[in-house]
Amino acid sequence: TQSRSSAASDVYKRQLKNCSISEMQNIYKQLEMPQSEFEPYLLWDNSKYTRNCIFRNDDFELLVLCWDNGQESSIHYHNDQECWLYNIRGEFKEKRYKLVENKPQLTDNFELERNRFSYMNDEMGLHKVINSFSGQSASLHLYAKPINECKHYNPNTNQFETSKLSYHSYNGELTETII
């Protein structure tokens, strides 16, 4: 199957391919791609948010996450990796937590408007992302080292669980393959 990636996202992949984490952050902060560049990765599912991989190597992965109205992540860690989040469409709320007696306690709650960045790592705590827009939203995520599994909080059991992560699409093609 032929890739549906765009010329601009191909340039972005080449820039990130051989750079350090600090260089990644600088490239990411200077991101100026029109929303149309993300079209091949804007794939929604009304039952859950989708993880759509643009590029992945041993050093990082670049994903577009697509969120229907009201969809949200669980409260989660990033498997000791750094995460940069960029809002490319819609609006988000990000809630940050710290552990108190092995339970997440809310420490911060803020809006992430379009074209705004957020950064998170496990030393900072845990977080949760919520589509607060009345329609569909999309976010671009850069992880310094790919994340194959994620530790998240299950409020029904009051326990942390580890889940394997999968992609809804890879390079613009539907997959549902576990990574």
Side-chain angles (χ1 to χ4, degrees):
T1 309
Q2 188 173 8
S3 165
R4 295 170 40 189
S5 66
S6 65
S9 63
D10 288 342
V11 169
Y12 192 54
K13 288 184 234 180
R14 281 195 303 274
Q15 285 180 323
L16 289 171
K17 196 171 193 173
N18 297 311
C19 65
S20 69
I21 289 174
S22 62
E23 290 169 328
M24 267 187 225
Q25 185 172 356
N26 289 334
I27 291 169
Y28 198 73
K29 283 184 176 178
Q30 295 171 14
L31 177 67
E32 290 185 16
M33 284 198 290
Q35 187 171 328
S36 61
E37 293 296 326
F38 299 105
E39 288 299 323
Y41 315 103
L42 296 177
L43 303 166
W44 280 269
D45 181 322
N46 62 6
S47 66
K48 61 182 179 186
Y49 69 90
T50 62
R51 300 177 75 247
N52 303 286
C53 185
I54 296 173
F55 183 78
R56 175 188 170 108
N57 66 17
D58 291 339
D59 297 319
F60 73 92
E61 68 182 335
L62 184 63
L63 308 173
V64 173
L65 275 58
C66 295
W67 315 72
D68 265 336
N69 184 16
Q71 290 179 337
E72 59 188 58
S73 71
S74 58
I75 298 170
H76 63 279
Y77 285 106
H78 288 99
N79 206 23
D80 295 324
Q81 302 308 322
E82 296 184 85
C83 170
W84 292 269
L85 184 156
Y86 177 68
N87 181 352
I88 57 177
R89 177 177 173 170
E91 295 174 2
F92 294 93
K93 283 186 182 177
E94 182 179 6
K95 295 185 176 193
R96 295 189 176 195
Y97 301 83
K98 68 178 181 178
L99 282 185
V100 176
E101 297 178 8
N102 208 32
K103 291 193 169 93
Q105 179 180 26
L106 185 65
T107 59
D108 201 2
N109 184 7
F110 57 92
E111 294 287 329
L112 186 64
E113 297 171 352
R114 191 162 186 273
N115 298 323
R116 298 293 306 255
F117 288 92
S118 179
Y119 170 80
M120 190 67 181
N121 69 38
D122 292 349
E123 291 178 8
M124 297 168 64
L126 307 91
H127 79 156
K128 173 182 197 165
V129 178
I130 303 160
N131 176 11
S132 58
F133 189 60
S134 60
Q136 295 175 325
S137 293
S139 51
L140 183 68
H141 296 248
L142 175 64
Y143 299 102
K145 298 290 184 202
I147 300 176
N148 296 326
E149 58 184 28
C150 181
K151 192 172 177 183
H152 61 93
Y153 184 72
N154 183 336
N156 297 324
T157 64
N158 291 320
Q159 300 288 321
F160 281 91
E161 300 173 355
T162 301
S163 295
K164 294 228 182 259
L165 299 176
S166 64
Y167 296 137
H168 183 74
S169 71
Y170 186 86
N171 214 14
E173 302 296 328
L174 293 177
T175 178
E176 288 294 340
T177 302
I178 293 180
I179 50 180

